[in-house]
Amino acid sequence: MTPEPTGHPRGIYTLFFTEMWERFSYYGMRALLVLYMVAEVKRGGMGLTDEMAAAIYGLYTALVYMTALPGGWVGDRLLGARSAVWWGGVIIACGHVVLGIHSTQSFFIGLILVAFGSGLLKSNMSALVGQLYPEGGARRDSGFTLFYMGINVGALFGQLMCGWLGEHVGWRWGFSAAAVGMFLGLVQFRFTERHVAHIGSRVVHAGQNVRREWRMLLAGLAGVVILVVLGVAGVLRINAVEFAHHTAWFIAGVALLYFLWAFFLARLDAPEKKRMVVILVLFLASAMFWAGFEQVGSSFSIFAERFTIRKFCGWEVPASWIQALNPLCVIALAPVVALLWSKLASREMSPSLTTKMSWALLMLALGFVVAGWAAHRALSTGPVWPTWLMSVVLLHTLGELFLSPVGLSAVTKLSPPRLTGQMMGIWFLGSSLGDILAGILAGGVTGDATVQMPERFHHVAVTAGVSGVVLLLLARWITKLMPGIK
């Protein structure tokens, strides 16, 4: 391979732009999701209650990350990571096209397609990034940070463009713009795929029965199709709020069973089992963090629409744009945080992985303290200035930068090589659990439960703060379980 002046392989730019366009489509559509569902039917929306919309939002975002586990398995065992990324993108693009068709049935079919395509693409994309840096170390961390910048560049422009089109032109135009973004990502990936041709190929493992595994996959997909058809036809009626609670328990159970399998049946040696304990800690911290962070797409979006002053110089800022503050802050702060890690490392003061995770939870807690104050003022005196939500997003973004890029990198380092795709799926399963809990929490602070918003936000602050302190106290012990991993 020809070395690049930046020190990074050329393949990272292929993955950067593919992920950028995929995130453009995902976050652009997501910015509209709750606002579209709660909008009145005469405004082109679905007219759902806040609680129902928040539950559906939580279920959808949870499904995106929950499908990352089987998506990682498909990449590891059947398609290879590179092909899995391509076909995941194709399914996502089809899903966005279906979302652009204005009907209740097509809406839910589109959500399911986007969720399954994202699950196939996400875990395998991260695995490809890790494979570009087989030596690991700081260079891999730098590569993941660059990759993370691609995520947020796409998210920023997706939320601004799709949000404005959806709220000011028409909901279907916002959803259709997301489809165009994913299509551009696929074109870019195909034209530059040669730079990643040396990684992500399908590998047949010793003793693997490929035909049987394909039959298992097709049977599972057939079951999903049957459930979707029954649901669309009205034969199977699902209460989204109740289903969200059951799904949270299901996700927790799947994670528990997978970790039990890994510890006792996956034939891991002693060092690998110790590292698996660390991955379990990362999973729990990730779930808790995203349960709070993902309020930005549900309860915070509703707060922005109903309780925030948005008119400036006669122009009303779209409520969905509050979500664009997060990627904007990431783009601005990621280089600062990366420089901080470099400076601390040069002075041999670099915080451990667990310490960074604890800081993330403490930032989350502080953000919810501010959110609780803002909610109290809004309910007492009327709409508040957007600086309140901007402060919350800033604090939560700092927490995200402490947790997400280093967590992605750490999982690739800690995972046994033969389980890397599945371990990325477990990492995203933690996000899935957090997302479904976020939807449940949002349903408890909006609509008829709006009066409880300040108190619930402060409860989240206390829970996250205590968890962060406990994790900080255990940091040294956890670090000893992963010698040689930084």
Side-chain angles (χ1 to χ4, degrees):
M1 292 181 63
T2 304
E4 288 292 289
T6 59
H8 291 286
R10 289 184 178 181
I12 191 62
Y13 303 108
T14 295
L15 303 182
F16 174 98
F17 286 108
T18 305
E19 184 73 358
M20 183 191 76
W21 283 114
E22 188 272 330
R23 293 291 89 181
F24 174 99
S25 69
Y26 173 76
Y27 283 106
M29 180 275 286
R30 200 193 70 167
L32 300 172
L33 199 53
V34 169
L35 297 175
Y36 167 68
M37 287 189 284
V38 300
E40 297 175 349
V41 175
K42 63 183 180 182
R43 291 178 50 219
M46 298 181 70
L48 301 181
T49 65
D50 291 354
E51 186 179 22
M52 187 68 70
I56 293 172
Y57 172 85
L59 286 166
Y60 163 68
T61 53
L63 185 61
V64 167
Y65 290 101
M66 184 163 53
T67 53
L69 182 57
W73 178 82
V74 170
D76 282 346
R77 309 284 296 185
L78 299 177
L79 291 178
R82 197 170 66 252
S83 292
V85 165
W86 167 260
W87 287 110
V90 170
I91 296 170
I92 292 169
C94 293
H96 286 304
V97 170
V98 174
L99 278 170
I101 303 171
H102 193 67
S103 74
T104 300
Q105 291 81 4
S106 64
F107 175 76
F108 288 109
I109 292 173
L111 286 184
I112 292 170
L113 286 172
V114 173
F116 273 80
S118 297
L120 187 58
L121 184 146
K122 280 187 70 65
S123 56
N124 290 289
M125 180 71 81
S126 299
L128 285 177
V129 176
Q131 290 174 31
L132 283 174
Y133 303 91
E135 76 284 357
R139 188 164 171 264
R140 178 182 286 190
D141 288 348
S142 178
F144 268 101
T145 300
L146 182 62
F147 176 71
Y148 207 66
M149 288 290 285
I151 291 174
N152 287 280
V153 169
L156 172 62
F157 289 104
Q159 288 166 342
L160 291 176
M161 185 175 296
C162 298
W164 183 84
L165 285 171
E167 291 189 63
H168 289 284
V169 181
W171 300 110
R172 69 174 64 188
W173 288 99
F175 293 133
S176 297
V180 172
M182 189 65 255
F183 175 76
L184 291 174
L186 288 169
V187 171
Q188 184 278 146
F189 182 79
R190 182 60 76 199
F191 274 98
T192 63
E193 189 179 4
R194 64 186 182 279
H195 297 312
V196 291
H198 63 292
I199 59 173
S201 298
R202 174 173 169 263
V203 176
V204 178
H205 303 273
Q208 179 183 1
N209 189 326
V210 177
R211 185 171 297 179
R212 182 181 62 188
E213 292 181 0
W214 271 110
R215 286 198 296 265
M216 290 169 52
L217 175 64
L218 294 175
L221 290 175
V224 171
V225 170
I226 290 171
L227 290 176
V228 171
V229 170
L230 292 176
V232 170
V235 176
L236 184 64
R237 296 187 177 274
I238 298 174
N239 182 301
V241 178
E242 293 180 2
F243 189 58
H245 285 83
H246 295 317
T247 303
W249 284 107
F250 174 77
I251 294 172
V254 169
L256 176 62
L257 290 174
Y258 188 86
F259 277 111
L260 289 174
W261 171 83
F263 278 114
F264 299 108
L265 299 175
R267 298 179 181 178
L268 303 181
D269 57 30
E272 288 175 332
K273 287 184 178 180
K274 290 180 179 180
R275 293 177 182 180
M276 195 64 65
V277 171
V278 181
I279 293 177
L280 174 59
V281 172
L282 298 182
F283 172 87
L284 296 173
S286 172
M288 180 168 295
F289 180 83
W290 297 117
F293 182 91
E294 282 295 338
Q295 296 304 306
V296 72
S298 49
S299 62
F300 290 170
S301 285
I302 293 175
F303 188 91
E305 182 184 47
R306 300 174 186 171
F307 301 106
T308 301
I309 299 170
R310 294 187 287 116
K311 284 192 175 181
F312 298 94
C313 301
W315 184 67
E316 187 174 58
V317 177
S320 58
W321 279 17
I322 184 64
Q323 297 182 53
L325 288 173
N326 168 246
L328 181 63
C329 289
V330 170
I331 293 168
L333 295 176
V336 178
V337 173
L339 181 62
L340 173 64
W341 299 150
S342 298
K343 291 290 185 183
L344 290 175
S346 66
R347 299 178 183 179
E348 298 185 353
M349 298 172 59
S350 181
S352 68
L353 168 67
T354 314
T355 300
K356 293 175 184 177
M357 293 282 183
S358 67
W359 290 353
L361 291 174
L362 293 173
M363 288 295 102
L364 180 73
L366 188 56
F368 269 96
V369 170
V370 176
W373 287 343
H376 177 74
R377 287 178 63 90
L379 294 177
S380 301
T381 63
V384 299
W385 286 100
T387 47
W388 285 96
L389 277 179
M390 291 168 68
S391 300
V392 175
V393 172
L394 175 62
L395 290 166
H396 286 183
T397 300
L398 281 172
E400 180 188 4
L401 289 171
F402 290 159
L403 177 141
S404 197
V406 295
L408 278 169
S409 179
V411 171
T412 63
K413 296 175 186 176
L414 293 165
S415 302
R418 65 189 183 280
L419 299 179
T420 300
Q422 294 169 57
M423 286 297 102
M424 292 309 306
I426 282 291
W427 168 254
F428 290 125
L429 194 65
S431 301
S432 176
L433 180 57
D435 287 345
I436 198 73
L437 294 175
I440 294 171
L441 172 62
V445 298
T446 53
D448 295 336
T450 300
V451 69
Q452 303 178 38
M453 189 182 294
E455 183 181 359
R456 293 285 182 89
F457 282 170
H458 285 137
H459 286 166
V460 176
V462 171
T463 303
V466 170
S467 301
V469 170
V470 171
L471 196 58
L472 188 62
L473 294 174
L474 294 175
R476 184 171 296 182
W477 174 76
I478 294 172
T479 302
K480 292 179 180 179
L481 297 176
M482 48 177 183
I485 304 294
K486 298 186 181 294

